[in-house]
Each structure stands twice: as structure tokens, then as C-alpha cells.
Amino acid sequence: MDENSLIYGLELQARALTPQYGESNDVCFFIATNSLKPTNQVHLIQFEEEQGTVQSKVFEHALGEVWKLNSCPHNSRLLTSVYNVQKGAQVLTQAALLTLPENLNPTDAEQLKSEYLPWENVEQLNTESLGERVKTVEFHPSQDQTLACVVDNKLAVMQRAESSTRVVAEVPTSGSASKHSLNFTNGKWSHHHQGHQFLALHEGNLSAYDVRDTQHCAWSISDAHGQMVRDLDCNPNKQCHLVTGGDDGYLRIWDCRMPKSPVFERSDHSHWVWSVRFNTFHDQLLLSSSSDCKVLLTCAGSVSSETQAQTGLDDTNFSGTEAEERHKLLPDGLLQTFDQHEDSVYCAEWSNVDPWIFASLSYDGRVLISKVPKQYKYQIIF
């Protein structure tokens, strides 16, 4: 247990967490509740490291229970929400774009009118023509008007400026398979390949689609995990490397040029892995969360970009011994277990501002803001 962790509690159950990506100065995260009660909430929390406190702004999410949040990398006030809505006896999962107001500090008179801050705009996305179950809506890493929507067995690219939607991939149907098994389960844009590839999860498989070429699968990894793959993340500093987490409890790092077997794997979780993330700056550090109620900090230094950097320095600036001292990689394996959660941990996310801070969220509404232990931090930077 890390005694330096700080706890922020929600009144309702929750399973959606994302950093405020457009923010460049403060450590901020969005959290959304997942309750059957009529009013759900979106919390914008700001971590004040020096004071060891958390400040929060709360918004009403009247559309329904939130299953996924994504923050826009180009606009700190914009995020996507994936939520359930009931239509008669049918439950659909839809999506919306939420825009924060410019002024997040209303006057006392304005605050008294409602316990929630108002949104500047709520735009419901037209996804019903695509399917009934939206899994995620992902902002393009470099094109601020482009979104990718994973819904049922389709991957659709939306252009907000032109109000156009184009289906670029579908899971092929199989006569013997059930309807459930035909659907995508999650997805994410690749940081590389000039922003043209989208990575989609389907059962235990991973497929990469070039969005310029409809129906074309650029590459795939079959049976990446023995059971369903829950999450993935691209190494932002090393092209072709990505990490997956699955129901078999494994973390696996893959090189998409060699899809037959992972280049790194660990099985330290005892139940389903719901979230996996590379540290943006020091990609030897991996963050994962699971329904075993734990958040794990793992080192994969042997396959990180920092191994490449060390090798380059060996050849140019230093002798082998000096380089080893200056760029000492942490040993591969489990570094730290954070076990202050008492329920399934559905999300764990690094801060986009400070590479040593991360947040995790369990279903009971407990948000834990933690730091990489100092001994590992100092080993990496000194």
C-alpha cells in the first residue's frame, strides 16, 4: 500500500475516468458515475500536490449512466461520453459530446441556482443508424475534427466539420457464431502510421484498420489472449509496440511486425485486466487495473524506448560502464501493488501533465490519486 495516495470519494458507483488531456498546467481528471438513479454526474477534479488536496467541479449528466469518457487532446473543454439510455423495454448505448463552460468559477448567485455547474453545450451523436451498443468514441490524435466510433460490429469515422460519418470496417459475420460474438469490444487510434490506423478489439483478437481503405485490415493479432481482450494502449515513444490486457489476467506487449507471440508478458493480476497504460514519458512503466481490486505498477524496461536510448549512448558518448550507471533501467517485473481499493478497478490513467502521478477508479466510487514511489522515480531520472 502506498501511504502517499489521496482518496476522493463519489456518492454513486462509477467506471469512467480520463485525464483532462487539453490541460497543460494542472493535474486534472474527469470521472463520471454509472448509477441507475436518474441523475448521474461528471466530476472534474484537480490535484494540488503541494497542499495534498483535491478541488472538484461537478456537472450533471442527465443523459444516463456513463460507461466511458474520453477527453479531447486538442480542446481541454471537450469530452465524449458513452452512456446507456432506455427506450421502452430496450436499453441502448449512445454517445454525446460535452463542452465545459469557459468560466468554471461562477458567482455565488449562479451557484445557488443549482448544485451542478452548467454545460456550455451537449451534442448527442447520431449513432442509432450504426447500431445499438456504442463501446467508445475516440478523438483523433492530430485531426481535431475527426472521431472514431466503435459500435456493435462497425468502426465508423466521423468528420464533425462536415457532419459526415463513414463506416470503415466491420467484423465479418459468421453463420455459426452468435450475435454477441460478432461485435467489437473496444478500440483506440494508433499514435503512429501518420494517424491513419485504428486498432480495434474483437473477443480475443486485435485488428488494425487503415481508415483510408474501407474494409482493409492492415495487420492483426489472433488470439492475443486466451480470453477476451479488455483494453489496449500504444507505446507513444516506440513505433509498432502496444500493450493489451485481458480476462486471463495477463499484460502482453506486442510488436505488430511479429504478431505470433508477445515480446513481453506478465500475469500478476488474479482476475480480469480492465485497463492498461504506458507511461507517456517513461514507457518502461506500465499501469494496470483489474477486478482483483488492485492497481499494479510494472516495469518493461527491456522492451522500452529507453533501452534503445541507452544502447545509442553506449556507442557514442560513454563507455559501457558509464552509460549503465547514467541510464540504469529498472528490472523487469512487478514494482508496486496499490491495494487501497475495495471493489473492481475499472480505470487507471496517468496524468498527462506529471509523469509520476496517476489516478485509479473503482466501482464503489473511490478515486485514488497516487505517485510512482520515489525510489523508482529517482532510479529512472538520476
Side-chain angles (χ1 to χ4, degrees), residues 364-378:
D364 56 6
R366 176 177 290 191
V367 181
L368 198 66
I369 298 179
S370 309
K371 300 177 185 177
V372 174
K374 288 181 180 178
Q375 68 265 33
Y376 303 129
K377 173 182 176 179
Y378 294 152

Side-chain angles (χ1 to χ4, degrees), residues 54-73:
V54 170
Q55 305 296 327
S56 66
K57 310 288 184 185
V58 185
F59 301 83
E60 182 178 10
H61 193 284
L63 298 169
E65 56 196 285
V66 184
W67 291 82
K68 186 79 182 283
L69 283 179
N70 280 314
S71 170
C72 179

Side-chain angles (χ1 to χ4, degrees), residues 55-325:
Q55 305 296 327
S56 66
K57 310 288 184 185
V58 185
F59 301 83
E60 182 178 10
H61 193 284
L63 298 169
E65 56 196 285
V66 184
W67 291 82
K68 186 79 182 283
L69 283 179
N70 280 314
S71 170
C72 179
H74 318 292
N75 182 350
S76 63
R77 294 167 50 215
L78 184 63
L79 65 158
T80 61
S81 162
V82 173
Y83 57 91
N84 275 1
V85 59
Q86 189 157 355
K87 292 202 170 183
Q90 191 178 22
V91 177
L92 306 177
T93 310
Q94 299 180 342
L97 283 167
L98 310 174
T99 307
L100 274 65
E102 286 191 39
N103 179 22
L104 288 174
N105 297 296
T107 64
D108 291 340
E110 291 173 325
Q111 187 66 56
L112 287 173
K113 293 178 184 177
S114 171
E115 60 180 310
Y116 301 112
L117 293 174
W119 297 103
E120 180 175 295
N121 189 48
V122 176
E123 176 190 347
Q124 293 179 259
L125 297 176
N126 181 17
T127 60
E128 288 193 53
S129 61
L130 298 171
E132 299 177 355
R133 298 280 178 181
V134 178
K135 292 301 172 69
T136 188
V137 178
E138 300 283 330
F139 291 99
H140 194 281
S142 58
Q143 300 170 16
D144 59 358
Q145 296 296 322
T146 302
L147 301 169
C149 180
V150 178
V151 51
D152 287 353
N153 69 328
K154 299 180 182 68
L155 164 61
V157 173
M158 299 177 170
Q159 297 293 344
R160 294 179 60 214
E162 304 166 7
S163 299
S164 68
T165 301
R166 182 171 59 98
V167 175
V168 297
E170 293 189 49
V171 178
T173 57
S174 171
S176 61
S178 67
K179 182 179 179 181
H180 170 73
S181 68
L182 300 178
N183 293 341
F184 287 118
T185 50
N186 205 345
K188 184 169 287 191
W189 287 101
S190 169
H191 291 282
H192 309 292
H193 308 99
Q194 293 78 49
H196 296 312
Q197 285 191 9
F198 190 87
L199 313 181
L201 300 178
H202 168 231
E203 296 291 312
N205 309 312
L206 168 65
S207 299
Y209 296 95
D210 189 319
V211 298
R212 299 167 297 178
D213 185 1
T214 305
Q215 308 301 319
H216 174 62
C217 182
W219 53 266
S220 63
I221 299 174
S222 299
D223 298 320
H225 289 259
Q227 301 175 45
M228 183 179 288
V229 189
R230 293 280 171 182
D231 199 20
L232 79 159
D233 195 30
C234 297
N235 187 329
N237 307 325
K238 190 171 183 181
Q239 191 159 340
C240 301
H241 273 213
L242 59 135
V243 63
T244 56
D247 284 1
D248 55 4
Y250 274 85
L251 294 183
R252 290 190 169 124
I253 296 178
W254 303 86
D255 186 326
C256 67
R257 299 164 297 184
M258 300 180 291
K260 290 188 177 181
S261 61
V263 295
F264 176 92
E265 69 175 16
R266 295 286 302 182
S267 60
D268 299 301
H269 283 291
S270 60
H271 208 263
W272 300 353
V273 176
W274 281 95
S275 171
V276 286
R277 293 290 180 269
F278 281 106
N279 187 292
T280 306
F281 297 91
H282 303 287
D283 55 85
Q284 62 177 292
L285 298 178
L286 284 169
L287 192 63
S288 60
S289 68
S290 165
S291 39
D292 64 7
C293 309
K294 293 180 174 61
V295 177
L296 301 185
L297 181 65
T298 303
C299 180
S302 63
V303 294
S304 71
S305 65
E306 291 165 285
T307 305
Q308 293 177 319
Q310 177 179 325
T311 303
L313 286 166
D314 284 351
D315 296 338
T316 55
N317 299 328
F318 308 105
S319 69
T321 305
E322 289 173 324
E324 187 176 346
E325 287 300 315

